[in-house]
Amino acid sequence: MIRCTRCNYTMTEVKNEGGRTTRLLCSDCGHEISLSGGLLSFHPVLPSATGGGIDETLNEYYSKNEDKHFWFIARKDFIKTICDMYIKQSGKIIEIGAATGYITRHLIAEGYKDISIGDLNSDSFNYSDDKGIMNRYQFDLTKSPFVGHFDAVFMFDVLEHIDDAELSVKKACEMLTPQGRIVITVPAHMWLWSKHDALVSHKKRYELDQVVQLLRRNGFKILKATAFFASILPLLYLRKYIDKDTGRVSKADVAYRYKINPAVNRMLDKILHLECKLLNRVSLKYGGSLIVVGERLN
Ligand SMILES: [Zn+2]
């Protein structure tokens, strides 16, 4: 269900033939949310959820590089592999903090039928106008209006941007149906912190056990917890020194961010493709990123 953001009463969803919500009505207080610019907007739109002008520029760079750069391609494949193992393609899913919608569009193309996206940041939606996305919800996760509404919640590289990760995971849990599942990815290990983290407004990088405990404290049992991007760990460790966080970032830092030698790009793509094939059989503790799947306990 979706609760009214004014009076907390259950809102009625008006849907079109494609199953897309066009209006939400509160029969108690009369509050109405209509589709506007393709969005269902619950909370005041902020220019940037992570509080910097660089974030808008980053989405632009992401949208230009996502189909080419090994990191984006491999990340997409890792996530798809895990989703195929734990998430039903017919389920009602939301990806929170979808950025350009790259992962969601890929999952839809691979057969997932009902994925919506949610974000507080209005800019993200500019890059995610694909028709295959079910609903586009602009809302504040910490005041989420969704209760028992989704079979799965995805948060891919979101928690590391949020001050109150505890509340965010608790709210994500409330959004799920009983036995609903959450899939989370975060950057791994503070000892890999580089300028890149500062540039993309990370608050922290996580250890696997921290994510596991975070989910357990907030109503989940763990189905899968592993690191990935393990095969490029030495390169990530080098980056920490080559691309050292000096405490200052500028928009100019973004410009060269995703430039890579094409041969190196192809090689890393191949290596990570192999690592991805191992992911369903092993669970690793160390890597560039972490992926954890939780199931709502009650
Ligand atoms: Zn109301």
Side-chain angles (χ1 to χ4, degrees):
M1 77 180 100
I2 301 177
R3 287 197 190 276
C4 176
T5 47
R6 289 195 185 152
C7 75
N8 219 28
Y9 197 77
T10 306
M11 295 187 99
T12 307
E13 292 177 84
V14 180
K15 297 185 178 187
N16 67 12
E17 288 159 10
R20 217 161 259 156
T21 306
T22 54
R23 270 202 312 165
L24 289 159
L25 296 164
C26 175
S27 55
D28 199 42
C29 78
H31 181 43
E32 181 177 336
I33 296 171
S34 300
L35 204 57
S36 171
L39 291 184
L40 291 163
S41 221
F42 291 88
H43 297 117
V45 176
L46 297 182
S48 167
T50 44
I54 289 169
D55 302 283
E56 281 79 5
T57 319
L58 278 174
N59 270 336
E60 203 179 317
Y61 274 91
Y62 290 158
S63 68
K64 282 178 191 158
N65 289 286
E66 281 168 334
D67 286 325
K68 299 177 207 136
H69 194 282
F70 77 90
W71 190 85
F72 291 105
I73 295 168
R75 174 174 174 267
K76 176 193 77 181
D77 292 341
F78 281 126
I79 289 171
K80 160 80 168 42
T81 299
I82 293 295
C83 286
D84 283 351
M85 290 168 70
Y86 294 99
I87 305 299
K88 284 197 189 94
Q89 290 202 338
S90 58
K92 191 184 177 87
I93 300 167
I94 185 166
E95 185 189 355
I96 297 171
T100 63
Y102 178 61
I103 301 281
T104 280
R105 281 199 302 274
H106 177 62
L107 292 174
I108 289 169
E110 293 290 326
Y112 290 80
K113 291 169 186 67
D114 186 351
I115 311 189
S116 297
I117 57 171
D119 211 306
L120 179 62
N121 183 343
S122 58
D123 175 66
S124 288
F125 295 105
N126 296 335
Y127 297 89
S128 59
D129 55 357
D130 189 271
K131 292 184 180 69
I133 293 169
M134 188 56 83
N135 292 308
R136 297 155 83 222
Y137 299 111
Q138 185 275 325
F139 74 105
D140 182 344
L141 176 59
T142 62
K143 299 171 191 144
S144 162
F146 303 99
V147 179
H149 196 71
F150 296 100
D151 301 309
V153 169
F154 297 159
M155 294 173 82
F156 303 133
D157 294 278
V158 172
L159 277 187
E160 70 274 17
H161 296 276
I162 294 176
D163 284 318
D164 198 341
E166 208 77 44
L167 179 60
S168 300
V169 173
K170 185 170 180 275
K171 285 288 173 185
C173 187
E174 285 173 12
M175 290 169 72
L176 287 167
T177 52
Q179 278 89 52
R181 290 177 175 184
I182 191 167
V183 186
I184 285 178
T185 64
V186 284
H189 317 306
M190 276 311 286
W191 45 265
L192 288 177
W193 185 275
S194 74
K195 187 173 197 164
H196 182 79
D197 294 284
L199 188 71
V200 296
S201 314
H202 286 171
K203 313 266 183 211
K204 67 180 283 189
R205 300 180 67 99
Y206 282 84
E207 292 303 322
L208 196 57
D209 194 50
Q210 289 175 324
V211 186
V212 165
Q213 296 307 332
L214 178 64
L215 261 62
R216 283 192 179 141
R217 279 197 301 274
N218 290 287
F220 291 99
K221 72 172 180 184
I222 305 300
L223 302 180
K224 175 82 175 177
T226 183
F228 62 106
F229 283 126
S231 47
I232 61 163
L233 203 52
L235 288 177
L236 294 171
Y237 195 69
L238 273 179
R239 177 175 74 171
K240 171 188 161 132
Y241 295 101
I242 295 166
D243 197 25
K244 204 174 165 102
D245 180 14
T246 54
R248 279 196 309 273
V249 292
S250 69
K251 285 199 178 187
D253 284 320
V254 182
Y256 66 89
R257 192 78 357 200
Y258 296 102
K259 288 210 173 86
I260 184 165
N261 177 299
V264 174
N265 197 40
R266 274 196 302 277
M267 187 186 72
L268 293 174
D269 188 60
K270 284 210 172 74
I271 292 171
L272 289 165
H273 190 70
L274 288 174
E275 187 191 317
C276 187
K277 285 186 169 175
L278 290 172
L279 201 65
N280 49 4
R281 270 165 282 180
V282 297
S283 287
L284 306 166
K285 202 169 174 190
Y286 302 104
S289 294
L290 309 171
I291 188 160
V292 179
V293 183
E295 183 177 279
R296 187 178 166 156
L297 275 172
N298 50 50

Coordinates of all heavy atoms in Angstrom, one line a residue, residues 4 7 26 29, ligand 1:
C4 N -0.7 8.1 2.5 CA -0.8 9.6 2.2 C 0.3 10.3 3.0 O 0.4 10.0 4.2 CB -2.2 10.1 2.6 SG -2.4 11.8 2.4
C7 N -1.8 12.6 5.7 CA -2.6 12.1 6.8 C -2.3 10.7 7.2 O -2.9 10.1 8.1 CB -4.1 12.4 6.6 SG -4.8 11.2 5.4
C26 N -6.1 10.3 -1.9 CA -6.4 10.0 -0.5 C -7.9 10.3 -0.2 O -8.3 11.4 -0.3 CB -5.5 10.8 0.5 SG -6.0 10.5 2.2
C29 N -8.2 12.7 3.4 CA -8.0 14.2 3.4 C -8.0 14.8 2.0 O -7.9 16.0 1.9 CB -6.6 14.4 4.0 SG -5.2 14.1 2.9
Ligands
ZN1 ZN -4.5 12.0 3.2

